[in-house]
Amino acid sequence: MKIMGKATARPSLALVKYWGKQSVRENTPATGSLALTLDGLVTTTTVEEAEDDRIVLNGRVGNPAPYKTFLDEIRDQLGLGGRFFSIVSDNSFPTAAGLASSSSGFAALTGALAAFAGARLTPKELSRLARKGSGSATRSIWGGFTVYEAGAKEAYQEHDEDFWPEFRVLAAVVSDKPKPEGSRNAMEASRLTSPYYGEWVRTSPDLLKKARKALDRRDLATLGPLVRQSYLRMFATMFTSDPPLIYWQEESLALVRTLEDLRREGLEAFETMDAGPQVKIFCLEKDLDTLKTELEKRCNRSGNLNFLVSRPGAGLQTERLEIQP
Ligand code: DP6
């Protein structure tokens, strides 16, 4: 009989950003984050025992070396020491292009290995394990809206996926090419070289507190400007790193400016960005069609932009498959 562990997880998109580590060894965040898990964009991962670690990402054989430290740690924690795995992982969205795929990727891998091991772990325990793979994966274990506090070893759910059913995210995919620098190295560069990093860390608890309050009240008009402040302050530390980190492309800035125009015209839509050129826009369901039509008209004459719509989604789902020969 063959045993397989299978898991699905969705990306965690931060409204208030985690950028910079309190402890590099423990992979704990210097800034607390507030995020939502996105429905519609799914990572599915299966693991089965093999003679060596092997990984296939979106149909392509990958190099398992970058995953070794994480795999060794999780093997240790799950009592799987000395065993190797064939890992197959597929994303239903562009990988490594700033759509937070490391969050769903490491959450799904954690879940698949836990399912293989037959470990009955709580979401809190899974969140702690996933953290070693990626900070944002700590949040992807849960659905809905999540909080991951500065210095914490796990995230928790603030509101489930049914809390704000009208909430929508329109991701404008500017480029599906892999980003030039991964967030792990980039946030370390910000911490070590940006003169604004200290201020970023110092001012983020206040932003998080205010954003959580606005979210509690489902108050988009208050939440939106706080979300913008968070990503713009985070980018200020990237722009002022040495050498500078510039993820934005012309199309990203055009979208940011167009959204300013649309807000002046009365549309309630607010953007955020991560370590990549994509622009992710928050609005309510009633405004989604207008938002999409206007962005198509004003920013997408070349037809190069792709739009993905999602809403608050579910957390990690795992399954242990016992396959008869
Ligand atoms: C900009 O979670 O990818 O998406 O912990 O080093 O793996 P590591 O970093 P990662 O960084 C996420 C950064 C961000 C903001 C966020 O998701 O909060």
Side-chain angles (χ1 to χ4, degrees):
M1 189 175 62
K2 188 167 82 174
I3 307 285
M4 280 179 101
K6 182 176 177 188
T8 56
R10 290 152 190 81
S12 169
L13 174 61
L15 301 168
V16 174
K17 304 295 180 187
Y18 145 50
W19 190 254
K21 297 182 197 299
Q22 193 173 95
S23 159
V24 173
R25 201 174 62 87
E26 287 292 327
N27 201 30
T28 50
T31 62
S33 51
L34 172 67
L36 88 148
T37 304
L38 297 178
D39 192 23
L41 311 176
V42 186
T43 301
T44 306
T45 301
T46 57
V47 299
E48 60 181 287
E49 203 157 359
E51 282 174 13
D52 262 319
D53 287 333
R54 280 186 237 135
I55 188 151
V56 178
L57 293 174
N58 295 312
R60 284 198 181 173
V61 177
N63 176 9
Y67 301 89
K68 187 169 173 357
T69 312
F70 173 68
L71 285 172
D72 286 348
E73 172 113 21
I74 200 165
R75 272 191 272 255
D76 203 40
Q77 300 271 333
L78 293 172
L80 297 171
R83 296 168 83 174
F84 298 99
F85 294 94
S86 166
I87 300 161
V88 178
S89 189
D90 289 297
N91 285 340
S92 69
F93 56 96
T95 305
L99 278 176
S101 59
S102 74
S103 57
S104 53
F106 279 105
L109 179 54
T110 304
L113 286 164
F116 175 90
R120 293 187 181 279
L121 302 181
T122 61
K124 188 173 159 174
E125 290 165 329
L126 287 162
S127 178
R128 284 177 95 98
L129 284 180
R131 182 189 85 247
K132 291 295 181 93
S134 187
S136 48
T138 309
R139 303 182 309 232
S140 272
I141 300 296
W142 274 280
F145 294 88
T146 57
V147 171
Y148 181 24
E149 287 179 10
K153 293 202 165 154
E154 73 268 326
Y156 54 89
Q157 188 181 59
E158 181 97 318
H159 300 288
D160 72 15
E161 53 267 43
D162 301 321
F163 170 72
W164 198 349
E166 303 82 20
F167 195 90
R168 291 291 178 277
V169 178
L170 180 69
V173 182
V174 166
S175 160
D176 60 5
K177 294 196 181 62
K179 52 198 176 189
E181 185 70 76
S183 23
R184 178 152 299 190
N185 291 340
M187 66 172 75
E188 216 26 27
S190 294
R191 180 173 77 85
L192 296 172
T193 65
S194 169
Y196 299 142
Y197 179 78
E199 279 303 282
W200 154 249
V201 173
R202 192 186 66 77
T203 57
S204 80
D206 183 54
L207 214 52
L208 179 61
K209 193 168 140 200
K210 288 178 178 153
R212 287 174 75 170
K213 270 198 187 149
L215 176 64
D216 285 348
R217 298 194 306 268
R218 299 185 191 85
D219 176 358
L220 191 65
T222 306
L223 181 63
L226 296 166
V227 167
R228 295 192 74 226
Q229 274 179 13
S230 177
Y231 93 88
L232 289 166
R233 287 181 194 179
M234 174 181 79
F235 272 96
T237 74
M238 300 186 200
F239 292 145
T240 52
S241 294
D242 183 16
L245 291 155
I246 303 176
Y247 288 107
W248 295 25
Q249 292 185 7
E250 288 76 353
E251 294 88 342
S252 322
L253 186 58
L255 283 158
V256 170
R257 286 199 186 287
T258 303
L259 285 160
E260 285 189 331
D261 292 341
L262 289 171
R263 279 190 296 273
R264 268 193 294 274
E265 293 164 30
L267 195 76
E268 260 194 341
F270 303 90
E271 80 287 357
T272 187
M273 293 178 69
D274 292 291
Q278 303 350 329
V279 180
K280 296 119 185 190
I281 307 155
F282 306 94
C283 69
L284 298 182
E285 186 189 11
K286 67 179 174 52
D287 294 323
L288 184 66
D289 285 347
T290 313
L291 175 67
K292 210 168 157 233
T293 309
E294 289 305 316
L295 293 179
E296 286 280 9
K297 205 161 68 190
R298 301 184 199 197
C299 299
N300 200 19
R301 284 200 205 96
S302 61
N304 290 340
L305 288 181
N306 282 312
F307 292 102
L308 300 169
V309 177
S310 47
R311 59 178 81 191
L316 179 74
Q317 285 147 343
T318 63
E319 206 182 333
R320 189 170 195 264
L321 306 168
E322 296 179 356
I323 300 158
Q324 302 297 338

